[in-house]
Amino acid sequence: MRLGVNLGYWERSAAAHDMVAIAQEADRLGYDSVWVAEAYGSDAPSMLAWIGALTERIHLGSAVMQIPARTPAMTGMTAATLDTMSGGRFRLGLGVSGPQVSEGWHGVRFTSPLGRTRDYVEIVRSVLRRDRVTHAGPHYELPLPDGPGKALKLGSHPLRDEVPVYLAAVGPRNLALTGEVADGWLAIFLSPEHAREQIDVISAARRAAGRGSGDDPMAGFDVVSATPVVLVDDVRDAADHLRPYCALYIGGMGSREQNFYNRLASRMGFEKEAATIQDLYLAGRHREAAAAVPLEFIDETALLGSPRRVVQRLRRYEDVGVTTLAVATGGRMTRDQATATLAVLAELMPDRVR
């Protein structure tokens, strides 16, 4: 299992400089990859280009670039550019986002997310291979049949004709699609106690699609877990650092009718608590929602406590099949705390970094 770092996205300009500094430290320490997110603020490709220009070896991943934000051809162009300019270090993570962002921010209907993702990945791969891009739909039709457009191929020559594609997936059907068409899974709120079922869905889909190697359908597939690490000896105090983050996703990242993270918490056995968190969050009572997040949920999905406890519990991720543990550095963590955390893990687990 490799160590990476997940920087999330920034809200204030100073935080952007902190993210670059954390990425540079991760590169110096020999971490495998750095991942950057986007929602409706900072965008992932710009941050990755900046980080890529100021680092040397660390791989650059989008976690994620939003599918409704760009045409698949534009994403193929961006992937080719980032990969070439970074010397082959780019990893393309994609996600459909949710209906609130897709329809409210991008003006794209949140319909048929699985079919749209499948078409999207097919077109992106075609762009990177420098095929003349044609697609018969149903979600994308290239070229349009009733106008002057013609089938085109990428005008530049990328460094690689295959860039690893990762999908952010939460529900069972999306996990199956990930196994079928992607090279990796971007997991959030992964619990080693519950992840085996999720990874089994991916594995079965890969086997059915003839992917993998020999008898191992998961060969060559990267399971990336974005996992907060809080090195505070008292587990309850450590969990308090993550309560607002958990409440935002379980309670507010989506509508009452459609919140993928709320459903995930429910499937993990926290159905009653997830409903309470959502009720409080949607009522604007954010502090109460954060206080309602169970310690057990946070401890299952994050690494909390002393360095010794964290390293012992970190091995559960490797045992269940995680191949990249991306240390999430958001929340209340400062730049110095983030870099110190990365240094402690690199020292305690030197075999997990270069």
Side-chain angles (χ1 to χ4, degrees):
M1 183 175 72
R2 301 172 293 272
L3 289 177
V5 56
N6 188 301
L7 300 176
Y9 43 79
W10 57 271
E11 298 176 358
R12 301 174 306 280
S13 58
H17 295 274
D18 290 345
M19 288 169 63
V20 174
I22 294 166
Q24 289 176 307
E25 180 65 4
D27 189 37
R28 187 189 70 80
L29 290 168
Y31 275 61
D32 176 71
S33 53
V34 57
W35 301 83
V36 171
E38 64 183 19
Y40 42 93
S42 58
D43 72 284
S46 297
M47 283 300 303
L48 290 172
W50 189 15
I51 290 169
L54 297 173
T55 54
E56 296 179 359
R57 298 177 300 171
I58 197 164
H59 289 261
L60 312 166
S62 57
V64 296
M65 286 169 60
Q66 298 170 327
I67 285 175
R70 303 168 183 86
T71 67
M74 184 70 246
T75 292
M77 291 166 59
T78 303
T81 303
L82 284 169
D83 192 58
T84 300
M85 297 304 291
S86 66
R89 291 189 282 151
F90 182 58
R91 302 176 185 179
L92 175 61
L94 298 170
V96 292
S97 190
Q100 288 72 30
V101 172
S102 182
E103 298 191 7
W105 187 247
H106 298 301
V108 175
R109 294 291 182 194
F110 192 77
T111 55
S112 303
L114 295 179
R116 185 176 296 275
T117 299
R118 183 190 301 277
D119 283 4
Y120 201 96
V121 171
E122 287 179 5
I123 296 170
V124 168
R125 291 194 190 279
S126 182
V127 169
L128 291 169
R129 291 193 303 266
R130 299 193 74 240
D131 298 340
R132 291 201 177 274
V133 179
T134 62
H135 199 80
H139 304 289
Y140 301 94
E141 192 168 14
L142 296 170
L144 292 176
D146 54 354
K150 63 178 182 180
L152 300 172
K153 66 178 180 181
L154 187 67
S156 58
H157 290 263
L159 185 66
R160 296 186 290 174
D161 60 7
E162 291 187 9
V163 170
V165 174
Y166 293 68
L167 292 182
V170 177
R173 292 200 303 159
N174 209 356
L175 288 169
L177 178 66
T178 300
E180 180 185 346
V181 306
D183 305 300
W185 172 37
L186 299 173
I188 187 172
F189 294 125
L190 185 142
S191 162
E193 286 73 19
H194 296 86
R196 174 49 58 194
E197 181 179 349
Q198 296 168 298
I199 294 174
D200 284 348
V201 171
I202 294 173
S203 179
R206 287 180 61 79
R207 187 181 299 278
R211 308 196 69 190
S213 176
D215 294 332
D216 182 8
M218 295 298 287
F221 188 86
D222 194 9
V223 176
V224 182
S225 175
T227 303
V229 178
V230 183
L231 297 177
V232 174
D233 287 354
D234 186 283
V235 172
R236 289 187 177 274
D237 288 347
D240 287 343
H241 286 255
L242 301 175
R243 289 186 181 280
Y245 159 77
C246 294
L248 168 64
Y249 277 81
I250 297 171
M253 197 66 78
S255 66
R256 187 178 300 279
E257 295 74 23
Q258 201 162 26
N259 181 320
F260 307 125
Y261 310 103
N262 189 283
R263 293 176 187 172
L264 175 62
S266 296
R267 287 196 296 270
M268 291 170 58
F270 298 98
E271 184 174 4
K272 181 178 178 180
E273 295 87 344
T276 298
I277 295 165
Q278 187 177 65
D279 287 342
L280 291 168
Y281 203 95
L282 295 181
R285 297 157 65 182
H286 297 171
R287 290 186 180 180
E288 293 175 68
V293 179
L295 173 63
E296 294 77 11
F297 175 85
I298 303 173
D299 200 27
E300 278 191 33
T301 57
L303 289 163
L304 312 174
S306 67
R308 180 179 180 182
R309 183 179 192 266
V310 163
V311 169
Q312 289 174 340
R313 293 175 68 80
L314 190 150
R315 299 187 189 281
R316 302 173 306 145
Y317 289 82
E318 188 168 28
D319 292 343
V320 82
V322 172
T323 51
T324 300
L325 188 124
V327 179
T329 61
R332 290 156 47 183
M333 192 176 292
T334 66
R335 176 202 294 194
D336 289 344
Q337 288 170 332
T339 55
T341 298
L342 298 183
V344 169
L345 290 179
E347 182 179 353
L348 291 175
M349 303 191 73
D351 56 329
R352 299 300 185 267
V353 294
R354 289 188 293 267

